Amino acid sequence: DAMVIQNPRYQVTQFGKPVTLSCSQTLNHNVMYWYQQKSSQAPKLLFHYYDKDFNNEADTPDNFQSRRPNTSFCFLDIRSPGLGDAAMYLCATSRAGGGAYSETQYFGPGTRLLVL
Amino acid sequence: ILNVEQSPQSLHVQEGDSTNFTCSFPSSNFYALHWYRWETAKSPEALFVMTLNGDEKKKGRISATLNTKEGYSYLYIKGSQPEDSATYLCAFAGSQGNLIFGKGTKLSVKP
C-alpha cells in the first residue's frame, strides 16, 4: 500500500545532541510537510517542500532544518535539541493541486521525541 | 493571529449514541476546511476536505457540514462504535497559505 513512513517511532536524545528524524513516501507526491505537535497542542507546521523548493514558516526556530534529497525522502534535523523540543513530529505529503492547501494531506504515524 | 477552536475538548459516549462536535475558524480569506481522524499509535487519516459554503460530506456513519460565512463546521457520527474512538482534528486553509489545526476533540466510545 502507498504510504508515508516515519522512522523511528520513538527517539530519545540528550539535551544539545543533534538528532535527525526521517520520513519517506511511496505516494510520489510533490509536497512534503513537517509538523510539530506538543502535548495538548495543535499540530503546527514547521516547513514544507514543494518539490525541491523549501518553504520555512516565519516562526520556525533556526534550530530546525530540513533536507529533501529526492522525491521520496525528507529529513528533519534538530541541531541542538532543548527540553522544549520534546514533541510529536508528523510528516505529511500531498499532491501539488491547483488549490492552495485544499489537497488532502497524507500523514505518517509520527515520531515522538524525548529530550533528556 | 489566526485561531481554530474545537469543542468539546473530549467526549465520552456509549456505543450506539450519535454525537457531534464543532470546529470554529476565521470566516475571512477561506480556502478549505479539513477534517482528520487520528487513532492512537496510527497515522492521522483524512476524512473530508470541504471548500464551498453549505457543503455537506458523508463517509459511512460520519458526515460534516460547512458554514464559511459564520466560520464553523460540524462533524457528526451516527451510532458511535468503539472503533470510532480517536481524536478528530480540523484544519483551516486560508490565504496565509498553510493549514492551521485545532487541538482536536478526543472521542471515547464505551462498549
Side-chain angles (χ1 to χ4, degrees):
Chain A
D1 285 340
M3 58 199 319
V4 181
I5 300 163
Q6 290 189 246
N7 285 308
R9 294 291 301 272
Y10 298 90
Q11 176 74 56
V12 181
T13 191
Q14 291 180 328
F15 183 93
K17 185 175 181 182
V19 66
T20 295
L21 310 182
S22 71
C23 176
S24 63
Q25 55 134 338
T26 61
L27 296 160
N28 205 32
H29 283 168
N30 298 87
V31 194
M32 294 187 78
Y33 310 82
W34 279 104
Y35 290 89
Q36 178 193 62
Q37 188 194 29
K38 295 186 178 181
S39 180
S40 302
Q41 298 297 311
K44 181 180 175 301
L45 183 66
L46 294 173
F47 24 59
H48 75 276
Y49 274 94
Y50 190 121
D51 292 325
K52 291 190 176 182
D53 291 335
F54 177 69
N55 298 272
N56 198 30
E57 294 301 301
D59 55 356
T60 298
D62 292 340
N63 198 25
F64 291 84
Q65 303 286 320
S66 186
R67 296 170 283 135
R68 189 178 185 185
N70 53 52
T71 300
S72 301
F73 286 87
C74 195
F75 300 99
L76 170 62
D77 300 309
I78 308 177
R79 290 193 294 189
S80 182
L83 298 178
D85 296 328
M88 172 72 84
Y89 290 89
L90 290 165
C91 173
T93 74
S94 74
R95 293 181 299 181
Y101 287 91
S102 57
E103 292 290 330
T104 296
Q105 294 191 12
Y106 296 82
F107 283 84
T111 294
R112 187 167 293 283
L113 178 69
L114 182 62
V115 182
L116 300 179
Chain B
I1 297 177
L2 297 172
N3 215 24
V4 176
E5 299 285 345
Q6 290 190 247
S7 63
Q9 189 174 352
S10 64
L11 195 53
H12 298 263
V13 301
Q14 287 293 134
E15 182 175 357
D17 288 350
S18 294
T19 187
N20 66 85
F21 19 95
T22 306
C23 174
S24 301
F25 52 86
S27 57
S28 58
N29 299 315
F30 175 88
Y31 285 169
L33 194 283
H34 297 232
W35 280 101
Y36 292 88
R37 174 171 60 198
W38 194 1
E39 295 180 65
T40 302
K42 295 189 178 179
S43 304
E45 173 198 359
L47 290 172
F48 308 112
V49 180
M50 309 173 79
T51 56
L52 297 175
N53 184 44
D55 257 356
E56 291 189 27
K57 294 209 171 181
K58 190 175 180 182
K59 188 176 184 177
R61 293 178 291 98
I62 303 177
S63 60
T65 61
L66 179 67
N67 183 324
T68 61
K69 293 185 178 180
E70 295 181 44
Y72 64 84
S73 175
Y74 293 138
L75 190 79
Y76 300 92
I77 302 178
K78 185 178 178 181
S80 302
Q81 299 297 308
E83 57 264 31
D84 296 328
S85 297
T87 296
Y88 291 82
L89 291 166
C90 72
F92 164 78
S95 59
Q96 78 281 356
N98 58 339
L99 286 186
I100 308 292
F101 278 86
K103 294 181 180 180
T105 293
K106 186 173 183 178
L107 175 67
S108 298
V109 182
K110 291 184 179 179

